[in-house]
Amino acid sequence: MENFTPWSALIGGALIGLSAGFLMLANGRIAGISGILGQLITPREGDNGWRIAFLAGLVVAPPLVTLLGLASGEVRIDVSLPLVLLGGLLVGFGTRLGSGCTSGHGVCGLARLSPRSLAATLIFMAVGAGVVFLVRHLIGG
Amino acid sequence: MARILAALAAGLLFGAGLAISQMMNPAKVLGFLDIGAIPSGGWDPSLAFVMAGALALTLPLYALARRRTAPLFETRFAWPTRSDLDGKLLAGAAIFGAGWGLVGFCPGPALAALAQGGVAALVFFGAMLAGMALFSLTMDRKAA
């Protein structure tokens, strides 16, 4: 477990949890990234100002935090570009079909004790782990 | 204006959390999903600690919100109302999980890594948007 970073994980997680709780208390909204982004690119939804502001903060914060020396800013992607493309398509389509992702189901949904979110979280965790097992230990092993 | 600033603050907190916890790094996320590495001691349980840290705040803050009649800057809470498990939910979660396991990016980290992730992060983000648009065009009848 040489890569295990419990303290930065807990602190970073707490900031994410604070963000989700604050967005509900302030604006009454679920901090689900796939929902916020997906509805932004779906013309029917009119109220987009807060969505753009939230996503702008999400994009800008990591380089700022890195400049302040609070994070490494490392982004290591080891797979080939065609697989990156395929993964992006699956994540975009799947999160919209399944009404949420790691934030909307995994954090906000579990915090609401939602059975839908619990089911979704167990499934995407299990399938994600299954794919990694396949790639690293069956094909690549 | 207050709700725009509140959303910006929430986005900044969320992005800072993803950066500090290193969840914007796909290699770190795949290190968690790689349960096959448990026997060799190479497994990285950090992501579970991120979830635990997040829930430790979201649970009580949501409980607090439940006791209020309205949010600070809006007229009502937009709580999700469904509780049924349908095929779309389960299939969507499985498709998402497959893409997540393939690359190590889910939507939040994909956005958080845009500034520092180079070409691959841009390609992933573009493909993710295309996947979302494909859903809106084919499956989302309300959008038409």
Side-chain angles (χ1 to χ4, degrees):
Chain A
M1 301 217 285
E2 67 270 25
N3 297 318
F4 184 33
T5 50
W7 292 109
S8 59
L10 278 173
I11 293 165
L15 290 176
I16 293 168
L18 180 64
S19 164
F22 175 69
L23 191 65
M24 183 55 75
L25 283 166
N27 290 3
R29 295 288 186 167
I30 295 285
I33 312 302
S34 60
I36 292 173
L37 184 61
Q39 295 195 336
L40 191 60
I41 62 167
T42 306
R44 113 181 79 108
E45 279 278 342
D47 183 21
N48 280 337
W50 75 271
R51 292 193 173 93
I52 294 167
F54 179 89
L55 296 177
L58 179 53
V59 172
V60 166
L64 286 180
V65 168
T66 305
L67 277 177
L68 293 171
L70 299 171
S72 71
E74 186 188 4
V75 182
R76 212 179 89 215
I77 302 162
D78 291 326
V79 289
S80 65
L81 279 184
L83 283 181
V84 169
L85 190 79
L86 175 64
L89 281 170
L90 292 172
V91 167
F93 189 85
T95 52
R96 295 300 286 145
L97 181 65
S99 310
C101 56
T102 334
S103 51
H105 283 315
V107 175
C108 300
L110 293 188
R112 292 188 300 114
L113 310 177
S114 155
R116 276 172 64 84
S117 292
L118 178 61
T121 303
L122 291 174
I123 290 174
F124 64 66
M125 289 266 178
V127 173
V131 168
V132 171
F133 191 82
L134 196 71
V135 170
R136 290 197 176 175
H137 302 282
L138 294 180
I139 300 172
Chain B
M1 194 61 198
R3 48 191 208 102
I4 301 286
L5 288 176
L8 177 66
L12 286 167
L13 278 172
F14 206 108
L18 286 173
I20 290 168
S21 65
Q22 301 180 60
M23 289 300 113
M24 64 186 267
N25 185 2
K28 185 85 177 159
V29 172
L30 293 182
F32 171 78
L33 291 176
D34 188 6
I35 52 173
I38 292 176
S40 65
W43 184 53
D44 179 1
S46 301
L47 189 146
F49 280 62
V50 178
M51 297 277 290
L55 286 173
L57 274 98
T58 310
L59 263 168
L61 290 172
Y62 272 18
L64 187 66
R66 287 279 189 204
R67 288 165 46 184
R68 300 179 60 92
T69 51
L72 294 171
F73 308 128
E74 282 279 2
T75 50
R76 61 183 191 86
F77 287 107
W79 293 111
T81 50
R82 291 183 64 173
S83 60
D84 60 308
L85 302 182
D86 67 323
K88 282 187 177 183
L89 175 84
L90 307 179
I95 294 169
F96 160 46
W100 192 35
L102 213 51
V103 183
F105 265 145
C106 52
L111 276 153
L114 272 180
Q116 292 160 294
V119 175
L122 292 172
V123 168
F124 185 91
F125 180 68
M128 186 173 81
L129 284 183
M132 289 179 166
L134 187 68
F135 168 80
S136 294
L137 291 172
T138 58
M139 304 285 294
D140 192 5
R141 271 166 283 160
K142 286 175 291 180

